[in-house]
């Protein structure tokens, strides 16, 4: 498997599985009696969202939105664009979100710019409620103007890959979260 044995494992597959189960149980309790619209941020949150969705014991609708901020680097470009994947998705997202209980599923909250942008988009589409569930939360002492209701793991400010997170589109398929150091990069 790519990277196996060379990268430092930060969060094991077992720890992720246990935490996803806990988060799903919390969500199931908090939203009891209601339907949930999971809005998965492509591509990073797709693996987390698919495990989470299967562990939530409520009717779940799954929608996707794409937000690009990093490009191929390890430092945020600062600019966040929202790109529904095509015209059909735009309509599906709008109708699912309008009046819905929306839970935005994110792989990692770093500066919080991506989420801020997505949340205002979801609110503009008329969501009844909008909360965030993120696998990882980088502790950078940034004051986010919104609350992050469900957090899988708080981590230090290091660049991580795996379980959906990439570096230049690589490592998304690692079943664990690992730290990517400069020495792990070819030609750096
Ligand atoms: P933010 O807008 O600065 O919060 O950045 C969030 C997005 O940047 C995430 O959805 C990820 O795609 C990407 N990102 C932030 N930190 C990392 C990291 O450590 N590894 C991989 N991607 C990251
Ligand atoms: Mg990314």
């Amino acid at each position: 498997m790519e990277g196996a044995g060379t990268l430092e494992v930060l969060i094991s597959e077992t720890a992720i599985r246990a935490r996803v189960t806990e988060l799903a149980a919390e969500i199931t309790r908090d939203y009891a009696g209601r339907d949930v619209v999971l809005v998965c941020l492509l591509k990073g949150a797709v693996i987390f969202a698919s495990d989470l969705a299967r562990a939530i014991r409520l009717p779940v609708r799954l929608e996707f939105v794409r937000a690009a901020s990093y490009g191929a680097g390890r430092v945020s470009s600062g600019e966040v664009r929202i790109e529904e994947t095509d015209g059909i998705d735009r309509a599906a997202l709008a109708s699912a979100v309008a009046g819905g209980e929306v839970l935005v599923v994110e792989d990692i909250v770093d500066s919080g710019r991506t989420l801020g942008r997505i949340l205002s988009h979801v609110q503009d589409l008329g969501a009844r409620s909008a909360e965030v569930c993120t696998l990882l939360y980088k502790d950078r002492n940034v004051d986010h103007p919104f609350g992050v209701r469900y957090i899988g793991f708080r981590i230090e400010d290091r660049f991580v890959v795996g379980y959906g997170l990439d570096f230049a589109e690589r490592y998304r398929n690692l079943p664990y979260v690992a730290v990517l150091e400069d020495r792990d990069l070819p030609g750096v």
Side-chain angles (χ1 to χ4, degrees), residues 44 70-71 107 165-166 169 172:
Y70 263 57
D107 54 356
L165 291 115
D166 75 308
E169 298 303 326
R172 292 194 198 275

Side-chain angles (χ1 to χ4, degrees), residues 108-161:
I108 186 164
V109 177
D110 183 4
S111 71
R113 271 189 224 104
T114 307
L115 266 184
R117 182 82 181 75
I118 297 290
L119 280 172
S120 58
H121 186 59
V122 160
Q123 271 145 10
D124 288 350
L125 292 174
R128 179 201 291 263
S129 70
E131 300 286 352
V132 176
C133 179
T134 186
L135 176 72
L136 304 174
Y137 185 94
K138 269 192 197 174
D139 263 326
R140 297 208 307 167
N141 297 318
V142 181
D143 258 339
H144 301 303
F146 49 84
V148 179
R149 180 138 172 208
Y150 305 98
I151 295 177
F153 301 90
R154 288 175 187 271
I155 62 166
E156 284 174 48
D157 187 10
R158 298 164 87 187
F159 195 83
V160 291
V161 294

Side-chain angles (χ1 to χ4, degrees), residues 41 66-70 76-83 106 111-119:
L41 292 198
R66 194 179 162 99
S69 79
Y70 263 57
S76 176
S77 65
E79 194 196 313
V80 179
R81 284 171 294 125
I82 295 184
E83 305 159 349
E106 173 63 308
S111 71
R113 271 189 224 104
T114 307
L115 266 184
R117 182 82 181 75
I118 297 290
L119 280 172

Side-chain angles (χ1 to χ4, degrees), residues 10-83:
L10 187 66
I11 308 170
S12 71
E13 190 175 357
T14 313
I16 293 173
R17 194 174 309 127
R19 189 70 186 118
V20 169
T21 305
E22 285 175 0
L23 287 171
E26 231 181 288
I27 291 165
T28 301
R29 271 196 310 276
D30 293 350
Y31 288 86
R34 292 178 281 169
D35 294 12
V36 184
V37 182
L38 295 184
V39 174
C40 169
L41 292 198
L42 294 173
K43 302 175 193 170
V46 78
I47 293 180
F48 176 43
S50 60
D51 284 344
L52 188 71
R54 281 177 291 181
I56 295 175
R57 301 283 175 256
L58 295 171
V60 159
R61 181 164 174 165
L62 199 48
E63 299 294 336
F64 298 90
V65 70
R66 194 179 162 99
S69 79
Y70 263 57
R74 284 187 301 167
V75 179
S76 176
S77 65
E79 194 196 313
V80 179
R81 284 171 294 125
I82 295 184
E83 305 159 349

